[in-house]
Amino acid sequence: MSKSTRTPAAPRRLILALGLLLSSGLQAASGPLLSQQQLRQTPEHQVSAPPASMALAPSTALEYAREVAVALHSDHDGRWQQEGDQAVWRLILRSEDALSLSVTLDAMQLPAGAALRLYDGDGLLWHGPHGAIELQRHSRYYSAVVPGERLLLELSVPWLARASTALAIRSVQHGFRDIRPGFKSGSCNIDTACSAADAWTDAVRATAMITIANRRICSAVLLNNSRQNGDPLLLTARHCGVGQDELPASSVRVYWNYESSRCGGSPDGSLSQNQSGSTLLAEGAAADFSLLRLDQTPPAFYQVYYAGWDASGLAPTSGVSVHHPSGDEKRISFFDTPARARTANVDGEPVESWEVRWSRGITEAGSSGGGLWNSDHRVIGQLSGGNSSCENPDGTDVYGRLDVAWQESSRPDGQLKAWLDPDNSGIRRLDGRDSAGGGLNANADSYSGLPADSQELRLDVLANDGGALPLQLIGAAADSGQIRIEEGRLVYRFAPAAQRDVLSYEVVDRWGNVQSATVSVSRADPVALPERGGALAPWLLLLLLGARCIRRR
């Protein structure tokens, strides 16, 4: 059984002139711009062309980026500047024709108070701030993706800690498949924003897209355990490659709530809710499963769901699968005829699986690892492969069976039981549980010190709000400037000569609950920022002393 991959058709640290952040650190994705002056002052490094070969272990998991080795360091590349009481280092990476860029960092020596932010080539903040603890949790740090062929790294540290700060860029990942919202998957896929998915909201919230070493995409599902203690256990497919030499579990980045806001509407999902790092707990070839423990519990305002599961081995008569086909926003597929147990030959390897024929929807490359849910809303397997497609809707897909993975090996690192039932209670079925989040929560935002040369600002206020997704903006107003809603963001212009404004907006969640929140914005006059090299001039040092950024699916 084979399946071809589909080729795609084609923030929030605000930099003050003297460096002050007043907005929430949880906000990410599109937001205000760096000033054009700051962009012009940032050195640019041209990344060499990526190799034609992936040079990864054989797999048919969805590849989206190629890796280019580099040897860049904050001591001799980029540019340091003093901005208020902060030392700020910036460097632009450019890889021609890249659809997205990400980086692998190592050799980090970061003080408390360090913050890394990732911008695109236009100075639009996509991810951050990331603190020293997160960045240095493992020997290498794999960043989130930024769209386009230019990526701006910004590291800020307390000025007095500059001399003891270091950061190295080990490699750059050049995206050749678009990971941004778009029509990459087949049109017969069903958005989880559609009413057909309303009964499966918990399954939707438990499902995530994952990237591995910023080179592969798969789907995954968050599982509950018998202690029901919120242990962040993530199930995916073994063939995705987590744990291989070049694809360590620490390189896994999880993107939550990446879904469209409207059924059948233009793709507008946000990649802002993400987290990095995991540990591989167990895996098995017979059921094609890998179980990971995330480095951190997903933040409460992500409002994820810990899925229930069924390892009894009872064949499901109906149910769904939730997944990310071709790296697109979340989709849902339905089956209403009984699945059958079979040993499937998936890319030459036997997999003990549930074979499913869909009544609506399909799966694609990138859907690998997405959970199969029975009619009791419990996970019974994860996607291994298949031949369904929009051109072949009657094709079948196969899911590695949870009951086989339960004790596939007698060792803890080869079974699910040791982790899903750590107290050996003997249960084989468990209901899901909600995370700590709950209810609609529209949070006030503050953007202070916007660059005076900024024009139209795109504010991703929803990235800091919580509630039953999808959240949608339904109204907005400004005291003096111009404001509109576009693709789930506030698009704002200051009134002539205005230095500050107060915006308001209303947001509605999946169930029709409505809340309002305010956004305060202000801007500062541009100020020339002093350049700082590797060493202080003697006169500047004295001044400072005085004064003090089936193919596998």
Side-chain angles (χ1 to χ4, degrees):
M1 305 173 75
S2 65
K3 183 176 188 67
S4 61
T5 58
R6 183 179 302 273
T7 302
R12 154 167 160 167
R13 184 181 185 265
L14 307 177
I15 302 301
L16 303 173
L18 297 177
L20 179 64
L21 171 67
L22 295 179
S23 57
S24 167
L26 293 174
Q27 180 100 8
S30 300
L33 299 168
L34 287 175
S35 71
Q36 293 303 305
Q37 181 183 22
Q38 288 165 324
L39 288 173
R40 287 193 300 269
Q41 291 178 338
T42 302
E44 182 172 298
H45 176 83
Q46 178 68 48
V47 178
S48 59
S53 171
M54 295 294 112
L56 289 176
S59 173
T60 48
L62 182 62
E63 306 278 358
Y64 74 94
R66 299 185 175 100
E67 187 168 67
V68 180
V70 296
L72 302 170
H73 197 280
S74 58
D75 281 350
H76 49 73
D77 298 288
R79 184 172 185 268
W80 283 98
Q81 297 180 154
Q82 183 184 3
E83 298 182 11
D85 60 357
Q86 296 286 295
V88 180
W89 173 83
R90 295 189 183 96
L91 174 65
I92 293 175
L93 300 171
R94 183 176 184 272
S95 185
E96 190 172 355
D97 298 327
L99 296 175
S100 66
L101 291 175
S102 56
V103 294
T104 304
L105 308 177
D106 64 7
M108 288 175 283
Q109 300 175 33
L110 303 176
L116 177 73
R117 295 167 176 84
L118 280 72
Y119 298 79
D120 64 19
D122 294 323
L124 197 65
L125 181 60
W126 281 81
H127 304 289
H130 303 295
I133 293 176
E134 176 186 354
L135 294 169
Q136 298 179 124
R137 186 174 289 117
H138 299 281
S139 60
R140 297 177 187 170
Y141 179 79
Y142 298 79
S143 78
V145 296
V146 171
E149 61 180 25
R150 296 169 76 224
L151 183 158
L152 188 154
L153 292 169
E154 177 192 272
L155 176 66
S156 61
V157 299
W159 174 251
L160 296 178
R162 159 67 188 97
S164 59
T165 297
L167 176 151
I169 305 174
R170 173 187 175 88
S171 60
V172 177
Q173 292 80 36
H174 171 114
F176 61 90
R177 298 183 193 276
D178 209 338
I179 197 171
R180 294 174 299 178
F183 295 104
K184 301 184 289 289
S185 60
S187 59
C188 66
N189 282 288
I190 303 169
D191 288 335
T192 54
C194 296
S195 59
D198 284 354
W200 296 93
T201 297
D202 291 341
V204 172
R205 292 193 291 133
T207 301
M209 182 177 78
I210 64 172
T211 57
I212 309 155
N214 284 330
R215 299 169 73 178
R216 288 182 179 169
I217 291 175
C218 276
S219 300
V221 58
L222 187 67
L223 297 182
N224 194 13
N225 73 85
S226 60
R227 292 177 180 171
Q228 304 206 49
N229 59 1
D231 194 6
L233 303 175
L234 197 72
L235 178 69
T236 190
R238 180 177 180 269
H239 76 261
C240 292
V242 178
Q244 295 177 6
D245 288 343
E246 296 186 53
L247 300 167
S250 60
S251 74
V252 169
R253 184 167 287 273
V254 185
Y255 293 86
W256 299 104
N257 299 320
Y258 179 43
E259 52 192 283
S260 299
S261 65
R262 293 180 299 147
C263 178
S266 298
D268 61 356
S270 172
L271 295 168
S272 64
Q273 294 188 354
N274 62 78
Q275 63 183 98
S276 67
S278 71
T279 301
L280 178 62
L281 299 178
E283 62 178 353
D288 189 26
F289 81 95
S290 290
L291 186 70
L292 315 176
R293 173 179 284 133
L294 303 181
D295 285 352
Q296 294 176 294
T297 300
F301 86 99
Y302 288 7
Q303 298 199 332
V304 300
Y305 186 77
Y306 292 78
W309 39 263
D310 187 335
S312 67
L314 184 66
T317 57
S318 63
V320 303
S321 182
V322 183
H323 51 95
H324 287 273
S326 296
D328 251 343
E329 290 95 330
K330 215 171 291 184
R331 307 289 194 252
I332 186 169
S333 306
F334 297 84
F335 69 98
D336 54 19
T337 57
R340 71 183 185 103
R342 60 165 293 203
T343 302
N345 186 321
V346 185
D347 288 338
E349 296 186 9
V351 176
E352 299 302 320
S353 62
W354 296 117
E355 184 181 51
V356 176
R357 191 180 304 275
W358 305 111
S359 56
R360 287 179 291 169
I362 57 159
T363 68
E364 299 183 13
S367 301
S368 281
L372 183 68
W373 301 69
N374 66 15
S375 57
D376 292 324
H377 293 235
R378 298 184 180 122
V379 173
I380 57 171
Q382 69 290 326
L383 181 61
S384 185
N387 59 15
S388 71
S389 68
C390 290
E391 294 74 28
N392 183 33
D394 292 328
T396 59
D397 291 332
V398 292
Y399 287 73
R401 289 168 51 183
L402 210 71
D403 59 302
V404 174
W406 190 249
Q407 286 184 286
E408 182 174 323
S409 164
S410 60
R411 294 166 50 96
D413 62 0
Q415 62 171 256
L416 293 178
K417 180 180 182 294
W419 311 101
L420 299 186
D421 186 20
D423 298 323
N424 198 27
S425 69
I427 65 170
R428 298 296 288 262
R429 297 184 180 92
L430 183 69
D431 288 335
R433 64 179 294 271
D434 228 325
S435 59
L440 182 60
N441 185 21
N443 295 304
D445 291 300
S446 176
Y447 295 86
S448 179
L450 298 174
D453 58 7
S454 61
Q455 300 298 319
E456 196 168 77
L457 303 173
R458 299 176 63 82
L459 310 180
D460 190 12
V461 294
L462 294 184
N464 203 33
D465 295 341
L469 297 180
L471 301 181
Q472 297 184 61
L473 293 172
I474 56 174
D479 284 357
S480 60
Q482 298 178 0
I483 192 169
R484 69 180 189 273
I485 296 171
E486 184 177 292
E487 296 180 342
R489 296 176 175 87
L490 298 182
V491 182
Y492 172 76
R493 278 181 179 269
F494 279 100
Q499 293 297 305
R500 56 185 50 84
D501 201 353
V502 176
L503 322 178
S504 61
Y505 68 90
E506 284 190 321
V507 59
V508 61
D509 69 4
R510 184 183 206 101
W511 309 122
N513 301 307
V514 176
Q515 272 194 11
S516 60
T518 60
V519 183
S520 62
V521 293
S522 62
R523 59 183 178 183
D525 293 329
V527 175
L529 301 173
E531 180 174 356
R532 186 180 189 282
L536 285 174
W539 65 268
L540 183 55
L541 179 59
L542 291 174
L543 178 61
L544 290 172
L545 290 175
R548 309 292 306 164
C549 129
I550 333 189
R551 193 180 212 177
R552 302 290 194 186
R553 300 285 190 173

